[in-house]
């Protein structure tokens, strides 16, 4: 099976803009979790979607949002970008009823 | 919420030696503990995991032990090789359903020839 894919792989934005990142899970996986990875804060959980519903949410401001489509693909959106939003954004997919999370390659976002 | 602490932050060993990375967690209800390896510029990859009903699990040169009473778990790598050099993350699953992992801060392992 194809692994988790994320697009775009790299992105440069300026402060105040918004950005949308996409994640396609492994075929058959219905859970998609998003994480932010930075050198200072490490890997932090953003949110999880399962069957088009947000099932878990981390401690990020409301500028960070997400959604999931009927084919399990997920998007996350960050509005009013700040310099501190520069990070590697990783998504991970999980088969229903299982716990193993498989990560995508990530989208590296740079905010100038 | 769950808090996971990981030590050491860097670890340098000679090829063939063993490496041990330790993590502690705060929520006694956590029940799933995976370990991920992340090479530079690559995605985290699961190398081994353990559930709270098991005390130890081994897969070739890699083993994980869990002490529920003390709320700590450890990764053991034996006969280290240069390709083991990477950042290793421990994590704990937050209870309440769903897939939410709380990660440790990572250990940079360097295996020297």
């Amino acid at each position: 099976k194809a692994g988790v894919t994320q697009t775009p792989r790299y992105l440069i934005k300026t402060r105040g803009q918004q950005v949308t990142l996409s994640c396609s899970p492994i075929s058959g996986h219905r859970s998609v979790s998003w994480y932010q990875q930075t050198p200072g804060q490490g890997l932090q959980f953003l949110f999880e979607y399962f069957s088009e519903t947000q099932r878990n949410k981390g401690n990020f401001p409301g500028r960070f949002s997400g959604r999931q489509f009927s084919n399990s693909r997920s998007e996350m959106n960050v509005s009013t970008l700040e310099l501190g939003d520069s990070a590697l954004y990783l998504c991970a997919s999980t088969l229903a009823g299982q716990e193993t999370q498989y990560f995508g390659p990530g989208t590296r976002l740079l905010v100038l | 919420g769950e808090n996971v602490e990981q030590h050491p932050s860097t670890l340098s060993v000679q090829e063939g030696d063993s490496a041990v990375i330790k993590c502690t967690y705060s929520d006694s209800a956590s029940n799933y503990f995976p370990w991920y390896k992340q090479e530079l510029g690559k995605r985290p990859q699961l190398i081994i995991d353990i559930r709270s009903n098991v005390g130890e699990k081994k897969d070739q040169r890699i083993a994980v032990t869990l002490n529920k009473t003390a709320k700590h778990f450890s990764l053991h790598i034996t006969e280290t090789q240069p390709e083991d050099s990477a950042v290793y993350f421990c994590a704990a699953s937050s209870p309440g359903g769903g897939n939410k992992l709380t990660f440790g801060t990572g250990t940079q392992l360097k295996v020297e020839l």
Side-chain angles (χ1 to χ4, degrees), chain A residues 59-79:
Chain A
N59 298 320
F60 279 80
R63 300 184 297 106
F64 292 81
S65 63
R67 60 178 175 169
Q68 188 178 34
F69 302 94
S70 59
N71 62 356
S72 295
R73 187 178 69 87
S74 178
E75 289 182 348
M76 67 163 281
N77 183 276
V78 188
S79 63

Side-chain angles (χ1 to χ4, degrees), chain B residues 25-95:
Chain B
Y25 60 99
S26 60
D27 192 334
S28 56
S30 289
N31 57 4
Y32 174 64
F33 307 92
W35 286 88
Y36 284 86
K37 173 184 180 182
Q38 188 175 29
E39 297 176 76
L40 190 63
K42 297 195 174 179
R43 71 187 77 190
Q45 296 214 309
L46 179 76
I47 55 171
I48 196 167
D49 56 13
I50 192 167
R51 290 170 176 78
S52 58
N53 58 348
V54 175
E56 184 174 358
K57 184 177 178 181
K58 190 174 180 180
D59 182 5
Q60 300 183 336
R61 296 186 297 109
I62 295 173
V64 57
T65 58
L66 171 65
N67 183 325
K68 283 169 45 180
T69 303
K71 290 189 283 187
H72 67 70
F73 56 114
S74 300
L75 177 71
H76 304 253
I77 305 174
T78 59
E79 300 172 23
T80 54
Q81 301 167 2
E83 51 265 38
D84 293 329
S85 295
V87 178
Y88 291 80
F89 292 96
C90 63
S93 70
S94 293

